[in-house]
Amino acid sequence: MKEQLEKIEIEALEQISLATDLKHLNELRVTYLGKKSTIQSLMPMMGKLPSEERAAFGQLINGVKTRIMTKVEEKQKELEALELQRKLEKETIDVTLPGKDFRAKSFHPISIIVDEITNICLGMGYQVEEGPEVESDYYNFEMLNLPKDHPAREMQDTFYINENTLLRTHTSPVQVRTLLKHNGVGPLKIICPGKVYRRDDDDATHSHQFYQIEGLVVDKNVTMADLKGTLSILAKKMFGEKREIKFRSSYFPFTEPSVEVDVSCYACDGKGCSICKGTGWIEILGAGMVHPNVLKMSGFDPNVYQGFAFGIGVERIAILRYGIDDIRYFYTNDLRFLNQFSKER
Ligand code: DAH
């Protein structure tokens, strides 16, 4: 039996070393070590041996099995490496072939405007903050000086998840979230671009979902002049160096005083045309000085800190910039529309 095993081992090791591919190697493994192999068929013999020979026989047979197995594993590694080598040689890249035509597609007009405004603000030292679209009533309204029965809530009806959770109606709750993070210590200077929602019947100028960019600056000695200077730079960068802005008084519960900001018409230089509806001015955003109640509720002392804030409607800017006549084009994924915009941001 010992001789038989030695013979098998010699034969197996030789056959394995001659194997030329993985399939062949696997067949050899089955032949020499599989259930029906000679070695396996010798196993039951062990029981028939006198007990003093059993251990030696066991060692012998296991030794043979291990050496064959080791050889199979070595060979497998060798063949795998060879196969990879072969594959690599066969699959070399012909760098002289002309490349495939990956046409650079255009960016979405909303993304272009968001990026543009973000970059201008980053240049003025703002940081970008984000907040959740599923927001609490508390941050979306209460903390912005809009208690439960406030009439200004009427204009911002939205989709409710439950009584206290809703799809945010503006990016202004990010003001609250940021203020709270700063624990009553300024300065802070942030913008927040993002999606907002309202319960609206969609038409050419209304959508139940749109984009805003919120701005907030809180520091000591911040005045309306800082707000005007900032928005003036923004307007010039967006609509051209010759643009001027003007404030019209307005009302937002979270700012006092509040203003509506107009930019002089870029199409007619303020003379009056169809774009500015003959007025020479185009409304671009809402803004104001942060209401002392808002500062107080979020842990800032309004006797020490002041702030200004603004909220830009992104679609409105894109509509003006590109002369788009229906807000719904932004969301219907029509390639004839989307492909018209710049490939660069
Ligand atoms: N949140 C306002 C809206 O959606 C826009 C706005 C107005 C934001 C004035 C501001 C602000 O930060 O100061 O109608």
Side-chain angles (χ1 to χ4, degrees):
M1 206 145 38
K2 190 169 171 223
E3 275 163 30
Q4 195 185 353
L5 272 172
E6 275 168 5
K7 231 181 92 198
I8 293 175
E9 181 176 350
I10 291 168
E11 184 190 303
L13 295 183
E14 187 181 342
Q15 289 294 317
I16 291 166
S17 69
L18 293 176
T20 47
D21 60 48
L22 288 166
K23 193 169 162 258
H24 185 201
L25 180 67
N26 194 42
E27 282 163 11
L28 290 170
R29 188 183 56 77
V30 173
T31 309
Y32 291 106
L33 297 172
K35 279 202 199 103
K36 293 183 187 140
S37 63
T38 320
I39 294 180
Q40 213 54 35
S41 72
L42 291 173
M43 294 298 272
M45 310 274 282
M46 199 151 30
K48 292 182 189 134
L49 290 173
S51 57
E52 63 274 18
E53 287 177 31
R54 240 179 253 163
F57 179 73
Q59 255 176 10
L60 177 70
I61 205 163
N62 279 332
V64 173
K65 271 164 72 175
T66 314
R67 285 191 292 280
I68 296 179
M69 199 58 219
T70 312
K71 185 76 180 176
V72 168
E73 280 163 8
E74 275 170 26
K75 191 68 187 181
Q76 182 166 348
K77 279 198 193 115
E78 189 186 316
L79 288 175
E80 276 169 358
L82 221 83
E83 200 139 291
L84 181 67
Q85 183 67 26
R86 248 182 258 147
K87 231 183 190 169
L88 287 174
E89 273 163 22
K90 217 168 51 194
E91 292 175 7
T92 47
I93 299 166
D94 181 354
V95 290
T96 63
L97 276 176
K100 283 200 181 120
D101 179 23
F102 285 116
R103 268 209 303 143
K105 295 298 179 184
S106 45
F107 285 103
H108 195 283
I110 298 292
S111 304
I112 295 174
I113 300 295
V114 167
D115 277 9
E116 197 172 316
I117 296 176
T118 302
N119 279 334
I120 295 168
C121 291
L122 285 176
M124 292 193 279
Y126 285 72
Q127 285 179 329
V128 178
E129 285 284 341
E130 284 186 329
E133 286 168 28
V134 178
E135 185 54 284
S136 63
D137 180 286
Y138 188 63
Y139 288 150
N140 194 82
F141 292 128
E142 302 256 322
M143 290 288 275
L144 287 164
N145 209 25
L146 274 142
K148 282 263 185 303
D149 52 0
H150 199 290
R153 282 194 179 208
E154 181 85 20
M155 287 159 58
Q156 301 203 5
D157 194 9
T158 183
F159 303 89
Y160 282 81
I161 311 295
N162 59 39
E163 213 180 313
N164 300 311
T165 317
L166 43 81
L167 296 189
R168 68 179 177 192
T169 59
H170 47 184
T171 42
S172 304
V174 181
Q175 289 192 29
V176 176
R177 289 176 172 274
T178 310
L179 287 170
L180 288 171
K181 264 202 292 199
H182 279 75
N183 290 321
V185 185
L188 60 96
K189 203 168 169 184
I190 59 123
I191 54 162
C192 166
K195 240 184 275 172
V196 302
Y197 304 81
R198 304 243 174 124
R199 202 217 67 79
D200 234 333
D201 294 313
D202 294 1
D203 63 22
T205 52
H206 294 87
S207 165
H208 60 279
Q209 179 211 296
F210 53 102
Y211 284 78
Q212 289 188 337
I213 299 179
E214 191 80 15
L216 172 69
V217 173
V218 172
D219 202 350
K220 291 170 183 161
N221 305 317
V222 173
T223 70
M224 204 86 175
D226 299 308
L227 173 63
K228 190 156 189 191
T230 301
L231 294 179
S232 171
I233 290 174
L234 196 62
K236 285 182 200 299
K237 299 236 186 218
M238 292 295 297
F239 294 103
E241 275 307 309
K242 276 167 53 193
R243 298 286 68 82
E244 287 179 70
I245 56 164
K246 78 170 180 193
F247 284 174
R248 264 180 304 114
S249 75
S250 182
Y251 173 78
F252 300 105
F254 33 87
T255 44
E256 182 60 36
S258 303
V259 290
E260 215 77 63
V261 180
D262 297 347
V263 61
S264 59
C265 182
Y266 54 88
C268 63
D269 259 345
K271 287 186 209 68
C273 68
S274 63
I275 289 179
C276 56
K277 300 194 183 92
T279 64
W281 295 92
I282 303 170
E283 185 186 320
I284 52 164
L285 57 92
M289 299 305 290
V290 180
H291 197 294
N293 285 352
V294 173
L295 289 171
K296 224 183 298 174
M297 279 189 279
S298 288
F300 276 74
D301 182 350
N303 295 318
V304 180
Y305 286 103
Q306 300 78 43
F308 67 75
F310 54 89
I312 309 173
V314 179
E315 278 78 355
R316 189 167 162 69
I317 304 286
I319 282 169
L320 290 170
R321 165 71 61 80
Y322 298 113
I324 294 163
D325 56 14
D326 193 322
I327 196 170
R328 289 169 293 196
Y329 283 129
F330 290 125
Y331 319 112
T332 39
N333 286 336
D334 186 336
L335 289 177
R336 291 169 302 179
F337 172 77
L338 295 173
N339 280 334
Q340 293 178 51
F341 299 93
S342 158
K343 292 184 173 57
E344 286 130 45
R345 294 206 204 202

